[in-house]
Amino acid sequence: QVQLVESGGGLARPGGSLRLSCVASGSVISIVEMAWYRQAPGKQRELVAESISGGSTNYADSVKGRFTISRDDAKATMYLQMNSLKPEDTAVYHCNALIGIDRLGSTWTGWGQGTQVTVSP
């Protein structure tokens, strides 16, 4: 019904920047919530940032002031601007979304396959 595809990952130097994108396609009527999670090797998946109803955003303490989440609902796209990157930001970044899929209020939630971010000198 809905597919989420992330892009924009890659290799960055400490202090550098990357911009991730997540595009939702398929039976997308509305975007309810979207979020970025990350999972480093040997660690649990953790919430990085989320954009929820009403335009509110929340960030993990570890990325506050460095990362910015934004959405373009007309394009069904979410972004994560990552500045001042640190080696500990290295992880696979996954997109998660709650999507309205019809006019009756039905929703879909799921994950993208992820994009690798590596921060290394």
Side-chain angles (χ1 to χ4, degrees), residues 10-34:
L11 176 64
R13 303 301 185 199
S17 298
L18 287 172
R19 188 191 194 208
L20 305 184
S21 299
C22 172
V23 180
S25 62
S27 303
V28 179
I29 300 297
S30 62
I31 307 293
V32 180
E33 299 178 358
M34 295 188 84

Side-chain angles (χ1 to χ4, degrees), residues 3 14 16-17 24 33-34 47 50 55 57 59 64 68 90 106 109 116:
Q3 298 80 39
S17 298
E33 299 178 358
M34 295 188 84
L47 176 67
E50 62 181 352
T57 57
Y59 296 91
K64 282 180 181 177
T68 302
T90 295
S106 302
T109 187
Q116 176 70 47

Side-chain angles (χ1 to χ4, degrees), residues 12-91:
R13 303 301 185 199
S17 298
L18 287 172
R19 188 191 194 208
L20 305 184
S21 299
C22 172
V23 180
S25 62
S27 303
V28 179
I29 300 297
S30 62
I31 307 293
V32 180
E33 299 178 358
M34 295 188 84
W36 288 100
Y37 286 74
R38 67 186 181 188
Q39 187 166 20
K43 295 187 177 181
Q44 289 188 329
R45 189 172 293 188
E46 61 174 358
L47 176 67
V48 176
E50 62 181 352
S51 174
I52 60 178
S53 299
S56 297
T57 57
N58 295 305
Y59 296 91
D61 288 343
S62 59
V63 307
K64 282 180 181 177
R66 300 189 298 120
F67 290 8
T68 302
I69 188 172
S70 60
R71 276 165 44 180
D72 183 340
D73 286 0
K75 296 181 179 179
T77 300
M78 173 178 64
Y79 306 97
L80 185 69
Q81 179 65 45
M82 305 187 296
N83 298 329
S84 302
L85 284 164
K86 303 176 180 180
E88 50 262 45
D89 294 319
T90 295

